[in-house]
């Protein structure tokens, strides 16, 4: 491992003698250092995987770090804790919520969910200043952001109320510097702070005092509203975790004892509360490593404060610092330009604070090239960018479209570039962070639900008739619209008079089909959830078949649609889970409120756009790299962006951290420019123009001026660079690179072995599929028994480390059967009702039959085990192991400690078998391999029995133990399957299982 690291990287990986600050410049391999340090700690026996805590800021970053660690670590593990700050704190609060007075079953709300909750309960807030009569909901977003900032700054509602009270009672001059920061249209704008001749702050006027009292009260009401509804917002997670650790030292000790090594990535992005959390969980015995680069701190808008990394060495004594300056990405000229620019942020940089050298040294052969191109108009600037992309592609046949990136400062700047690229046949992908709800396939789904809720929604029917696979002609649409207007009826009723319309034969068939789909949806709405109704619509309408056929043709647009559909279904499913009994009416009302709130829907982008030019905001470009980078629109008010209002500011007396006394906005914008420059590997283009459509000409960006570029460079007002139609590039369909999982479950592998094409549709493309009542029933029974045995663990004070799912060591505790405390039968049946999943039953009779069957089975189960209960070692224990270099993960239903050794139990809700086939044994063989590997360092015994427990009327069991030859053959089988998956072999196969496949109606082999 170490021979691949340079001297400084190796030193950072192997240092374990106290706090360590790694200053890692752009492209210097910081993620490599963090992941290899984790691997080093495990390989050297300094820690087990469960003793290591690695925190970062986004799910994507945590996932990528986990993937890289998995590639380096050979040993299996139950749960290595690599997560975001918020996920880490959520896990702690889920375990210890009651210890701090929080609801134990709290739900976490997104910012939009919070907006909806406040809007619904706006009458409970005593608002005047922040509730204009003309638009009562106008300031909800700003209030929520303010409350979030308060929590990031660890300002309590009690502190805020006390401060407001003191302000009201005091008539003496204040030194607060409080200023009104949000102007409200229906309030007279009066001076809130009278400054004296010495520049100090005079007495605050009554209007401002009232405003402070109002907002302090609103903050208190807001927090109580969350608790009353048993929900938390994201700010609560760290806020309450810190409270918990301060009030419950024994819980803090359990965490500091657990995590011997703590690593924080992107430390420059921590806010005040996150910084305090790191301080709190780092005891004297804990080894803390933080990695960051102050020059890449670009998230002030979400609370990050670069001051935190600047003061790290002052707060953590005896900190060793290691500076990584060897860059493995960019040419030296590009790095020099970035360095020259960022020098303008001195002295507020680590380089000055710590007196270190942060100048990056390129380790690549190319020197790098920089071109500044200034133009008269935005059109000419865009034309130059497009022309240059085409030219570079033509002169180097090895270059692919994905080698190009156009970096924009704001989402709104993308459309001009995407339009010109599209017109010229150049494939492109705008990597937007939001806009899911505006995507065509999502709008199609929403409009189908709307017409189910209200059949007078003519616009919805019009959209559905335009679905590409219907091929409804313009003439038929004209006839339908004419007759609708003539009869003064809605589109829905016009469809019912199809026999009277002059439609083509095909048009009549389409209308008849759509009418049946709508009526079917209306009928299903009486008993099914929105997700079930939509799946049936996509399947019955032919939408799924259309998507799959177009995907097979390599249609990029459809491939994106499939991915967007998956995200939309995930959103609806979360809503349904959080709101049991959701109907279409409920969801459409909720969705309308979403749109009212300004929510556009977050989007996760495909990584596999191997043949598309990337258009991306500078913020989202962090962590990425491209051969050719175009930083565009480099003019004042675009990049740097115009300074925005700060919203509702927190009174300075309430702040607990020191703020830099400097022009924070332009320093952050300059850091963003630095990040943009350092994305380029070989060639960097800086483009600007004088005319962007406004009355005034734009000034060239100060960032260009600082490094010597002027507005008259290469200006070509007479030349239009936009490609002519004759020069268009013929866009081929292009090959799609599938996102193959990094780790596999046994169920995924079994699906592939059954039919590779089914695997592709289900696990690669994630095509929505119809469920089955039997699966809902199976999940219900599993969940019920898991909760039941959890209660047994709790009653007997023997439980796994439920914070992160580690198996408990019960070998030290011996309980005879008559001493084991067990919940009553009534409690078991209550758990069954609470965990009942009502989805996908074909009708009410089937649902009732399964419900009764489950109740009878559990009653029989309880009776059978009376006087013979066990306390499990592990429930739903997670594992990840490597087999022949392939990562396999899963969860084991239950592990018991018997006199002979460990017994692994897997529940089955199907009919019991007399004998197990080779394939039947696969799942438990994997569990045997995983548990045996983990038992080596968990000291929990040897696996002696594998059991399938059939939750049927006979409650039968089948036991076996895997032999060496069986295990060897099993490993060979799954290794070959995974190799074929990675090779993209997804041909359909005809076999006896086809009639049970959810995709049988759209399969290419049907």
């Amino acid at each position: 491992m170490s021979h691949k690291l340079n001297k400084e990287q190796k030193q950072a990986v192997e240092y374990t003698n106290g706090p360590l600050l790694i200053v890692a410049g752009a492209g210097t391999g910081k993620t490599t250092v963090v992941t290899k340090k984790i691997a080093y700690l495990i390989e050297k026996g300094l820690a087990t995987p469960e003793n290591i805590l690695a925190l970062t800021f986004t799910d994507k970053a945590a996932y990528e770090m986990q993937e890289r660690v998995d590639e380096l670590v050979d040993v299996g593990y139950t749960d290595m804790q690599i997560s975001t700050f918020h996920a880490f704190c959520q896990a702690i609060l889920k375990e210890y919520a009651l210890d701090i007075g929080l609801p134990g079953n709290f739900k976490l709300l997104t910012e939009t969910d919070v907006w909806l909750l406040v809007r619904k309960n706006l009458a409970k807030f005593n608002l005047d200043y922040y509730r204009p009569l003309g638009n009562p909901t106008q300031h909800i977003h700003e209030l929520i952001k303010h409350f979030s900032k308060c929590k990031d700054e660890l300002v309590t509602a009690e502190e805020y109320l006390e401060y407001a009270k003191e302000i009201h009672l005091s008539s003496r001059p204040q030194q607060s510097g409080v200023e009104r920061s949000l102007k409200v249209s229906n309030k007279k704008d009066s001076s809130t702070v009278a400054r004296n001749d010495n520049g100090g702050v005079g007495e605050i006027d009554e209007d401002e005092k009232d405003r402070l009292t109002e907002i302090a009260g609103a903050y208190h009401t807001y927090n109580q509203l969350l608790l009353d509804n048993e929900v938390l917002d994201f700010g609560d997670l760290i806020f309450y975790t810190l409270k918990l650790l301060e009030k419950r030292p024994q819980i803090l000790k359990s965490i500091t004892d657990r995590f011997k090594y703590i690593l924080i990535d992107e430390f420059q992005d921590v806010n005040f509360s996150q910084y305090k959390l790191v301080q709190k969980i780092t005891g004297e015995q804990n080894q803390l490593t933080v990695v960051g680069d102050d020059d890449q701190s670009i998230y002030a808008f979400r609370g990050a404060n670069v001051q935190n990394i600047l003061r790290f060495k002052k707060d953590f004594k005896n900190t060793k610092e290691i500076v990584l300056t060897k860059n493995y990405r960019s040419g030296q000229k590009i790095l020099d330009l970035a360095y020259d620019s960022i020098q303008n942020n001195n002295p507020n940089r680590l380089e000055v604070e710590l007196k270190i050298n942060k100048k990056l040294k390129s380790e690549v052969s190319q020197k790098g090239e920089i071109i500044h191109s200034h133009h008269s108009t935005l059109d000419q600037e865009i034309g130059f960018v497009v022309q240059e992309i085409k030219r570079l592609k033509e002169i180097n046949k090895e270059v692919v479209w994905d080698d190009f990136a156009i970096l924009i400062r704001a989402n709104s700047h993308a459309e001009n570039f995407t339009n010109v690229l599209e017109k010229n046949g150049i494939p492109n992908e705008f990597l937007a962070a939001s806009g899911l709800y505006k995507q065509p396939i999502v709008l199609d789904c929403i409009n189908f639900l709307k017409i189910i809720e209200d059949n007078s929604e003519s616009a919805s029917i019009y959209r559905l008739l335009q679905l590409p696979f219907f091929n409804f002609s313009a003439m038929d649409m004209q006839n339908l619209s004419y007759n609708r207007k003539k009869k003064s009826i809605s589109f829905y009723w016009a469809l019912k008079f199809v026999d009277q319309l002059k439609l083509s034969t095909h048009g009549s068939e389409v209308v008849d089909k759509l009418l049946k789909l709508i009526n079917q949806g209306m009928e299903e709405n009486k008993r099914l959830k929105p997700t079930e109704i939509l799946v049936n619509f996509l399947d019955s309408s032919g939408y799924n078949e259309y998507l799959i056929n177009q995907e097979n043709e390599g249609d990029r647009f459809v491939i994106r649609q499939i991915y967007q559909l998956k995200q939309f279904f995930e959103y609806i499913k979360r809503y349904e889970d959080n709101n049991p009994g959701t109907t279409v009416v409920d969801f459409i009302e909720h969705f309308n409120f979403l749109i009212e709130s300004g929510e556009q829907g977050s989007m996760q982008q495909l990584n596999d756009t191997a043949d598309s030019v990337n258009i991306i905001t500078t913020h989202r470009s962090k962590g990425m790299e491209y051969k050719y980078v175009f930083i565009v629109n480099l003019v004042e008010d675009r990049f740097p962006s115009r300074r925005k209002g700060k919203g509702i500011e927190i009174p300075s007396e309430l702040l607990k951290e020191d703020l830099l006394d400097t022009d924070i906005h332009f320093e952050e914008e300059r850091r963003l420019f630095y990040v943009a420059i350092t994305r380029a590997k070989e060639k960097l283009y800086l483009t600007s123009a004088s005319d962007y459509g406004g009355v005034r000409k734009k000034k060239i960006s100060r960032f260009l001026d600082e490094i010597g570029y002027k507005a008259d460079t290469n200006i070509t007002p007479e030349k239009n660079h936009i490609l002519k139609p004759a020069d268009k590039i013929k866009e081929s369909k292009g090959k799609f690179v599938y996102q193959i999982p990094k780790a596999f479950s046994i169920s995924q592998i079994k699906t592939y072995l059954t039919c590779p094409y089914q695997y592709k549709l289900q696990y690669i493309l994630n095509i929505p599929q119809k469920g089955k009542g039997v699966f809902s029933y199976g999940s219900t029974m599993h969940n019920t028994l898991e909760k039941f045995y959890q209660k047994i663990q709790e009653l007997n004070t023997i439980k796994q480390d439920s914070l992160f799912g580690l198996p408990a060591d019960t070998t030290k505790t011996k309980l005879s059967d008559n001493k084991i405390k067990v919940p009553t039968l009534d409690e078991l049946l209550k758990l069954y009702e609470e965990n009942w999943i009502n989805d996908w039953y074909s009708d009410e009779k089937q649902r009732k039959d399964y419900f009764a069957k489950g109740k009878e089975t559990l009653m029989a189960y309880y009776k059978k085990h009376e006087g013979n209960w066990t306390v499990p070692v592990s429930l739903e224990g997670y594992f990840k192991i490597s087999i022949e270099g392939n990562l396999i993960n899963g969860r084991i239903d239950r592990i018991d400690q018997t006199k002979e050794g460990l017994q692994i139990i897997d529940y089955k809700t199907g009919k019991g078998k007399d004998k197990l086939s080779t394939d039947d044994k696969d799942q438990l063989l994997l569990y045997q391999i995983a548990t045996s590997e983990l038992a080596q360092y968990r000291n929990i015994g040897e696996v002696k029995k594998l059991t399938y427990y059939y939750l049927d009327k006979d409650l039968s069991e089948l036991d076996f133990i895997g032999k060496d030859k069986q295990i060897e053959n099993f490993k060979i089988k799954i290794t070959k399957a995974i190799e074929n998956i990675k090779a993209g072999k997804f041909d359909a196969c005809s076999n006896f299982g086809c009639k049970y496949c959810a995709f049988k109606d759209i399969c290419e082999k049907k």
Side-chain angles (χ1 to χ4, degrees):
M1 174 184 72
S2 297
H3 69 278
K4 296 181 181 179
L5 303 173
N6 64 43
K7 178 182 176 183
E8 291 77 20
Q9 289 175 329
K10 184 174 185 296
Q11 187 181 11
V13 165
E14 297 179 357
Y15 184 80
T16 58
N17 293 322
L20 173 63
L21 169 62
I22 304 172
V23 182
T28 58
K30 70 173 182 61
T31 305
T32 297
V33 170
V34 173
T35 54
K36 290 205 170 187
K37 190 177 185 75
I38 293 173
Y40 174 83
L41 295 172
I42 296 170
E43 290 172 6
K44 296 299 181 182
L46 298 172
T48 64
E50 293 78 26
N51 294 143
I52 299 170
L53 171 64
L55 298 177
T56 188
F57 288 85
T58 65
D59 291 326
K60 181 175 181 287
Y63 179 74
E64 290 174 352
M65 187 183 295
Q66 183 72 71
E67 283 186 334
R68 293 178 70 166
V69 170
D70 289 339
E71 293 171 359
L72 296 171
V73 176
D74 292 329
V75 301
Y77 56 87
T78 53
D79 192 4
M80 186 182 296
Q81 191 62 20
I82 298 177
S83 71
T84 63
F85 278 89
H86 289 100
F88 172 69
C89 290
Q90 186 175 5
I92 293 174
L93 291 179
K94 281 289 184 183
E95 174 64 12
Y96 297 114
L98 298 179
D99 291 273
I100 197 177
L102 293 176
N105 60 339
F106 72 83
K107 294 177 182 176
L108 183 63
L109 300 186
T110 65
E111 184 177 336
T112 302
D113 294 330
V114 170
W115 188 94
L116 294 170
L117 181 65
V118 172
R119 184 194 188 282
K120 183 179 178 181
N121 294 276
L122 197 57
K124 295 180 180 180
F125 291 80
N126 185 23
L127 297 178
D128 176 30
Y129 191 98
Y130 290 109
R131 190 178 183 183
L133 291 176
N135 186 4
T137 64
Q138 178 181 351
H139 300 306
I140 292 179
H141 275 303
E142 286 301 329
L143 288 168
I144 292 170
K145 287 178 183 177
H146 181 68
F147 302 152
S148 179
K149 285 190 289 186
C150 287
K151 292 175 183 181
D152 287 345
E153 295 292 330
L154 302 180
V155 176
T156 68
E158 292 73 22
E159 288 174 320
Y160 216 139
L161 287 167
E162 183 63 26
Y163 170 77
K165 180 181 178 182
E166 289 178 359
I167 290 292
H168 251 291
L169 293 175
S170 174
S171 60
R172 63 183 183 275
Q174 304 295 322
Q175 299 298 319
S176 65
V178 177
E179 297 183 12
R180 182 176 300 164
S181 55
L182 187 64
K183 303 292 190 284
V184 182
S185 57
N186 70 331
K187 281 281 182 180
K188 183 179 179 181
D189 180 28
S190 61
S191 176
T192 61
V193 180
R195 297 192 175 275
N196 58 36
D197 294 337
N198 297 322
V201 180
E203 186 173 348
I204 298 176
D205 67 22
E206 292 301 318
D207 196 32
E208 177 64 6
K209 291 179 180 180
D210 290 341
R211 185 190 74 86
L212 286 168
T213 300
E214 178 177 309
I215 201 164
Y219 184 32
H220 175 76
T221 301
Y222 170 76
N223 287 330
Q224 192 59 50
L225 179 65
L226 294 177
L227 294 176
D228 290 345
N229 285 273
E230 298 189 338
V231 295
L232 300 181
D233 63 20
F234 274 92
D236 284 329
L237 295 177
I238 298 177
F239 185 87
Y240 283 122
T241 298
L242 278 167
K243 265 193 166 185
L244 172 74
L245 300 181
E246 288 166 1
K247 291 187 175 182
R248 302 288 182 265
Q250 74 280 9
I251 296 174
L252 173 61
K253 185 177 185 304
S254 70
I255 292 173
T256 55
D257 287 347
R258 161 82 190 274
F259 297 115
K260 298 178 181 177
Y261 293 89
I262 300 171
L263 302 96
I264 315 294
D265 193 20
E266 304 287 7
F267 194 72
Q268 75 277 354
D269 294 331
V270 297
N271 61 33
F272 181 71
S273 63
Q274 290 161 343
Y275 188 88
K276 286 299 180 184
L277 178 68
V278 173
Q279 285 185 303
K280 180 62 69 174
I281 63 176
T282 305
E284 292 183 3
Q285 76 279 16
N286 302 95
Q287 298 290 319
L288 174 64
T289 298
V290 301
V291 186
D293 180 12
D294 57 307
D295 292 333
Q296 296 185 78
S297 179
I298 58 172
Y299 293 111
F301 67 89
R302 66 185 190 197
N305 184 358
V306 70
Q307 183 70 12
N308 288 319
I309 192 171
L310 294 176
R311 73 184 188 198
F312 181 80
K313 285 191 70 175
K314 298 174 184 176
D315 291 340
F316 291 87
K317 305 302 181 184
N318 302 315
T319 293
K320 182 177 179 61
E321 67 190 41
I322 295 175
V323 185
L324 306 181
T325 57
K326 292 181 180 178
N327 176 284
Y328 297 91
R329 177 191 300 156
S330 308
Q332 191 62 54
K333 288 184 178 179
I334 294 171
L335 298 179
D336 289 345
L337 183 78
Y339 187 73
D340 290 343
S341 174
I342 204 64
Q343 292 297 297
N344 291 281
N345 273 5
N346 287 339
N348 300 312
R349 296 178 59 242
L350 277 176
E351 190 169 40
V352 177
E353 288 271 339
L354 301 182
K355 296 179 174 56
I356 57 177
N357 180 12
K358 290 187 61 187
K359 187 175 176 63
L360 299 178
K361 299 175 183 177
S362 177
E363 296 292 313
V364 301
S365 57
Q366 302 93 344
K367 294 296 182 185
E369 186 178 355
I370 303 163
I371 295 106
H372 172 228
S373 186
H374 185 78
H375 302 271
S376 293
T377 66
L378 171 62
D379 285 345
Q380 289 184 2
E381 180 186 359
I382 295 171
F384 167 78
V385 171
V386 174
Q387 184 86 319
E388 193 65 8
I389 289 173
K390 178 193 172 189
R391 185 185 71 81
L392 292 169
K393 181 78 163 54
E394 287 178 345
I395 63 176
N396 190 342
K397 301 304 179 184
E398 295 182 0
V399 169
V400 297
W401 295 120
D402 193 45
D403 288 328
F404 299 94
I406 300 172
L407 304 191
I408 54 175
R409 178 61 185 86
N411 285 322
S412 59
H413 301 163
E415 186 175 358
N416 292 320
F417 287 91
T418 58
N419 288 342
V420 176
L421 288 166
E422 291 289 346
K423 287 178 181 177
N424 291 281
I426 298 177
N428 63 90
E429 181 85 3
F430 173 35
L431 304 181
S434 61
L436 179 65
Y437 302 147
K438 294 182 179 180
Q439 300 308 309
I441 197 165
V442 173
L443 291 173
D444 292 339
C445 290
I446 288 296
N447 277 279
F448 182 71
L449 294 179
K450 281 184 176 180
I451 199 65
I452 288 174
E453 179 204 10
D454 181 3
N455 62 30
S456 67
E457 282 277 355
S458 293
S460 295
I461 288 184
Y462 179 85
R463 180 177 184 88
L464 294 175
L465 285 169
Q466 302 298 315
L467 291 173
F469 50 89
F470 278 165
N471 295 314
F472 197 68
S473 70
M475 182 61 72
D476 283 336
M477 181 61 76
Q478 184 176 348
N479 287 332
L480 181 62
S481 299
Y482 174 77
N483 281 278
R484 180 184 74 84
K485 291 178 181 178
K486 185 178 179 181
K487 294 178 182 293
S488 299
I489 56 177
S490 70
F491 256 121
Y492 174 75
W493 287 103
L495 296 183
K496 288 180 171 288
F497 292 100
V498 64
D499 294 339
Q500 302 175 23
L501 305 179
K502 297 178 180 180
L503 302 184
S504 67
T505 302
H506 175 73
S508 297
E509 291 173 352
V510 170
V511 166
D512 184 60
K513 183 173 184 177
L514 180 58
L515 191 60
K516 287 180 180 177
L517 288 168
I518 294 170
N519 291 336
Q520 175 186 317
M522 290 176 175
E523 184 63 31
E524 290 173 342
N525 189 33
K526 298 174 183 177
R527 58 186 178 83
L528 300 183
K529 294 180 179 180
T531 47
E532 296 175 88
I533 295 171
L534 277 180
V535 168
N536 290 335
F537 162 69
L538 294 170
D539 198 54
S540 301
S541 66
Y543 213 137
N544 278 343
E545 186 173 10
Y546 163 76
L547 293 174
I548 291 169
N549 289 338
Q550 293 302 110
E551 188 276 334
N552 286 334
E553 294 294 320
D555 189 318
R556 289 189 187 88
F557 176 70
V558 165
I559 291 168
R560 289 198 294 268
Q561 282 191 306
I562 292 172
Y563 200 65
Q564 292 156 0
L565 182 63
K566 169 181 175 286
Q567 294 174 61
F568 183 58
F569 263 83
E570 288 173 348
Y571 176 79
I572 303 180
K573 188 67 171 63
R574 284 197 301 271
Y575 178 77
E576 290 174 346
D577 290 343
N578 290 330
N579 300 274
T582 293
T583 64
V584 169
V585 173
D586 297 328
F587 181 74
I588 290 300
E589 181 183 35
H590 169 76
F591 188 80
N592 289 335
F593 284 146
L594 279 183
I595 301 305
E596 180 187 339
S597 76
E599 174 63 35
Q600 298 180 13
S602 60
M603 282 205 299
Q604 301 168 352
Q605 293 293 336
L606 284 165
N607 293 327
D608 298 309
T609 54
D611 213 15
S612 297
V613 171
N614 303 281
I615 304 174
I616 186 169
T617 63
T618 43
H619 275 100
R620 283 179 65 85
S621 72
K622 191 170 181 297
M624 300 181 180
E625 57 184 45
Y626 305 93
K627 277 188 179 180
Y628 310 111
V629 169
F630 294 79
I631 308 176
V632 299
N633 300 172
L634 281 165
V635 293
E636 291 292 293
D637 293 339
R638 284 204 166 206
F639 200 173
S641 66
R642 185 173 301 167
R643 193 198 313 265
K644 296 180 180 179
K646 295 181 180 180
I648 308 172
E649 290 191 75
I650 301 173
S652 58
E653 287 86 354
L654 294 175
L655 296 176
K656 300 177 177 68
E657 62 178 328
D658 296 326
L659 299 177
L660 289 171
D661 184 17
T662 183
D663 193 335
I664 295 175
H665 172 71
F666 288 116
E667 287 194 2
E668 171 122 344
E669 288 287 301
R670 192 174 287 109
R671 291 194 292 270
L672 193 56
F673 184 53
Y674 175 88
V675 166
I677 292 172
T678 52
R679 301 310 96 196
K681 296 162 71 175
E682 296 182 12
K683 193 171 275 193
L684 173 68
Y685 289 84
L686 309 169
T687 70
S688 53
S690 299
D691 184 359
Y692 286 84
V695 176
R696 295 181 179 179
K697 299 294 184 183
K698 291 289 186 182
K699 293 181 179 180
I700 194 169
S701 169
R702 68 187 65 196
F703 301 151
L704 289 179
D705 185 60
E706 289 168 354
I707 51 180
Y709 292 101
K710 303 299 178 184
D712 58 356
T713 306
N714 296 332
I715 190 165
T716 53
E718 74 289 344
K719 185 175 180 180
N720 190 334
H721 288 286
I722 299 178
L723 304 184
K724 299 175 183 177
D727 295 329
K728 279 188 178 182
I729 298 167
K730 293 181 179 179
E731 180 184 358
S732 62
K733 288 286 184 179
K735 185 178 180 181
F736 179 64
V737 182
Y738 295 110
Q739 293 182 339
I740 304 299
K742 300 291 185 181
F744 301 85
S745 69
I746 190 64
S747 59
Q748 291 176 358
I749 295 170
K750 289 180 75 172
T751 299
Y752 183 84
L753 291 171
T754 301
C755 177
Y757 190 61
Q758 181 186 353
Y759 174 87
K760 173 186 173 182
L761 298 182
Q762 185 171 344
Y763 293 109
I764 301 295
L765 297 179
N766 294 284
I767 298 293
Q769 58 180 308
K770 292 181 179 180
K772 295 180 181 179
V774 64
F775 296 149
S776 298
Y777 173 71
S779 295
T780 296
M781 295 297 283
H782 276 75
N783 295 341
T784 300
L785 287 175
E786 179 194 355
K787 298 295 190 298
F788 177 71
Y789 276 103
Q790 280 180 356
K791 286 187 175 295
I792 290 180
Q793 288 180 326
E794 292 166 5
L795 287 170
N796 295 279
T797 64
I798 300 172
K799 58 180 181 176
Q800 62 196 89
D801 182 346
S802 53
L803 179 56
F804 299 109
L806 290 177
D809 183 358
T810 60
T811 57
K812 299 176 183 177
T813 308
K814 303 297 181 182
L815 291 172
S816 60
D817 294 337
N818 60 357
K819 288 184 179 179
I820 295 179
K821 299 175 184 177
V822 182
T824 64
L825 175 60
D826 286 343
E827 289 176 301
L828 173 60
L829 296 179
K830 183 180 179 182
L831 287 172
Y832 175 63
E833 293 177 2
E834 291 173 351
N835 287 277
W836 175 258
I837 299 172
N838 211 33
D839 303 346
W840 294 114
Y841 294 98
S842 57
D843 51 41
E844 185 63 16
K845 181 180 183 305
Q846 186 190 47
R847 186 194 69 79
K848 287 182 177 179
D849 288 346
Y850 266 110
F851 186 83
K853 176 185 176 181
K855 197 170 183 179
E856 291 172 7
T857 300
L858 291 172
M859 291 170 68
Y861 183 91
Y862 195 92
K863 182 177 180 180
K864 179 179 178 179
H865 290 274
E866 273 190 306
N868 191 34
W869 296 106
T870 60
V871 182
V873 173
S874 174
L875 293 170
E876 286 295 313
Y878 174 83
F879 66 86
K880 183 179 285 186
I881 60 172
S882 176
I883 296 179
E884 302 301 327
N886 299 303
L887 293 171
I888 316 290
N889 59 23
R891 290 188 181 275
I892 301 173
D893 286 350
R894 182 174 132 205
I895 302 177
D896 284 355
Q897 185 95 48
T898 69
K899 294 178 181 179
E900 293 77 24
L902 296 178
Q903 179 185 12
I904 297 175
I905 299 170
D906 189 75
Y907 302 118
K908 297 294 182 186
T909 49
K911 185 178 180 181
K913 296 185 177 183
D914 297 325
K915 186 179 179 180
L916 296 173
S917 68
T918 300
D919 290 342
D920 290 333
K921 294 180 179 180
D922 285 351
Q923 186 170 0
L924 285 181
L925 286 175
L926 174 62
Y927 295 169
Q928 180 182 344
I929 295 169
T931 305
S932 297
E933 184 173 319
L934 296 169
Q936 293 177 10
Y937 69 91
R938 301 309 273 139
N939 190 28
I940 55 175
E942 186 178 349
V943 179
K944 289 295 184 180
K945 187 188 291 186
L946 306 175
T947 302
Y948 281 121
Y949 198 114
Y950 293 94
L951 299 172
D952 203 33
K953 60 180 180 180
D954 297 327
L955 295 175
S956 59
E957 301 177 40
L958 275 179
D959 303 322
F960 72 100
I961 190 70
K963 305 300 182 183
D964 291 344
K965 187 63 177 177
Q966 284 179 305
I967 292 174
E968 182 183 348
N969 290 337
F970 168 74
K971 289 182 177 180
I972 291 171
K973 179 167 66 173
I974 64 173
T975 299
K976 184 177 180 181
I978 292 173
E979 288 174 354
N980 287 335
I981 292 172
K982 290 180 177 179
K985 296 180 179 180
F986 301 122
D987 293 335
C989 63
S990 250
N991 57 49
F992 69 91
C994 287
K995 64 179 180 179
Y996 303 110
C997 178
F999 306 108
K1000 62 180 183 295
D1001 295 330
I1002 54 178
C1003 177
E1004 60 187 30
K1005 289 258 182 170
K1006 66 180 180 181

